[in-house]
Amino acid sequence: MSDYKELLEILLTGDGEKLETLVKAALDNGAPANEILNQGLIASMDVVGARMESGEMFIPEVLMSAQAMGGAVEILKPLLSEEDSAVAGKVVLGTVKGDLHDIGKNLVSMMLESAGFDVIEMGVDVAPEKFVEAIKENDADIVALSALLTTTMPMMAQTVKTIEASGIRDKVKILVGGAPVNQTFADEIGADGYAPDAGSASKLAKTLLKKSA
Ligand code: B1M
């Protein structure tokens, strides 16, 4: 395991260029992409979160860290691909209405794509009706909802309700995730599955489609 102290320091400053240099150096030194992502970038982002909560970091600084992380993830992207074979399927993916967080969702998108899914990317702040439209337009097999705020979890429930009310519930599997979400909540709102991270989300998407085949 590598020491990611310097990476944390750079992520805290939001210097994207330096962060990318560090990530490349870690790769050159033989650190696995998965480790750099989980023990380096995501763990450092948790420190950003803690500082945001305690008032040591403000939104513009957090945004700079988030942007720097996005650039670093791009470097890791080709190396994080799954090796096993693809299951064809279409996934409509987005962060629910009221929620602007997209780093975790983008990782989910990346893992789904690398597992062979066709991902219809809806972005952030997506209204329930927009999800329904996209599911219908694309004849999607799965809709994947991300939420990072406890205050937007009810919007996830609302999205499930809107999908049910639109008469397409039996045609699409609903997958949910994001830091405040858990299996109990997923069960409560009637989702088909919950995944704690991007890797498990793509595995679960495959399982859900196999079950319904
Ligand atoms: Co926000 N923010 N933020 N923020 N932010 C959190 C989430 C928070 C925990 C920080 C804190 O206070 N400690 C807190 C939420 C508290 C709560 O509700 N419990 C918070 C808050 C309060 C806010 C604001 C309200 C702050 C304010 O304005 N006062 C505001 C809300 C804006 C809005 O959305 N309407 C806000 C704004 C922002 C920024 C815009 C500045 C920026 C987002 C930039 C961006 O995303 N482009 C930001 C950031 C960066 C964070 C933290 C620091 C980092 C989030 C992140 O990207 N993590 C975050 C603290 C933290 O998480 N430690 C925080 C890395 C990412 C890889 O992890 O997204 O969890 P994550 O994704 C994981 C899993 O959750 C999972 O897979 C990923 C790992 O593989 N996953 C899924 C995610 N989606 C999935 C979907 C799936 C399956 C798995 O299936 C569909």
Side-chain angles (χ1 to χ4, degrees):
M1 190 187 101
S2 309
D3 178 2
Y4 291 107
K5 261 192 205 153
E6 196 183 352
L7 191 144
L8 166 64
E9 276 164 29
I10 300 301
L11 188 78
L12 288 172
T13 66
D15 187 333
E17 236 170 83
K18 272 198 191 151
L19 191 70
E20 288 177 28
T21 308
L22 270 187
V23 166
K24 283 179 190 157
L27 285 171
D28 289 345
N29 288 331
N34 248 325
E35 183 190 288
I36 302 173
L37 178 70
N38 292 312
Q39 293 170 30
L41 295 170
I42 294 182
S44 300
M45 211 48 173
D46 284 342
V47 177
V48 172
R51 291 197 180 185
M52 182 180 173
E53 203 167 10
S54 65
E56 286 167 83
M57 275 177 93
F58 298 101
I59 300 293
E61 295 163 292
V62 177
L63 259 179
M64 281 172 73
S65 297
Q67 274 160 8
M69 172 151 173
V73 167
E74 281 303 310
I75 296 172
L76 299 177
K77 205 169 168 175
L79 304 163
L80 291 165
S81 307
E82 281 194 12
E83 278 128 37
D84 50 356
S85 66
V87 172
K90 278 189 194 173
V91 184
V92 165
L93 168 70
T95 303
V96 298
K97 188 174 170 187
D99 201 320
L100 303 175
H101 296 84
D102 68 357
I103 298 177
K105 170 190 70 62
N106 293 345
L107 283 175
V108 172
S109 175
M110 185 178 89
M111 293 308 287
L112 285 169
E113 276 178 359
S114 67
F117 285 97
D118 182 6
V119 178
I120 295 104
E121 177 55 72
M122 304 292 293
V124 296
D125 194 19
V126 184
E129 301 72 25
K130 290 277 168 208
F131 278 114
V132 169
E133 265 171 44
I135 295 164
K136 285 184 180 167
E137 264 171 32
N138 297 284
D139 198 15
D141 305 291
I142 296 177
V143 59
L145 311 173
S146 178
L148 259 289
L149 299 169
T150 43
T151 50
T152 53
M153 286 167 73
M155 188 48 72
M156 209 169 230
Q158 183 57 46
T159 306
V160 174
K161 279 199 183 127
T162 307
I163 292 168
E164 282 166 0
S166 69
I168 53 168
R169 180 64 184 95
D170 57 338
K171 294 191 173 66
V172 70
K173 298 285 177 196
I174 304 176
L175 171 59
V176 296
V181 179
N182 56 32
Q183 185 64 58
T184 309
F185 178 73
D187 293 340
E188 271 170 23
I189 65 171
D192 296 297
Y194 156 76
D197 56 58
S200 349
S202 87
K203 284 194 188 105
L204 182 58
K206 283 184 185 178
T207 312
L208 287 176
L209 286 196
K210 273 183 198 151
K211 271 191 195 158
S212 67

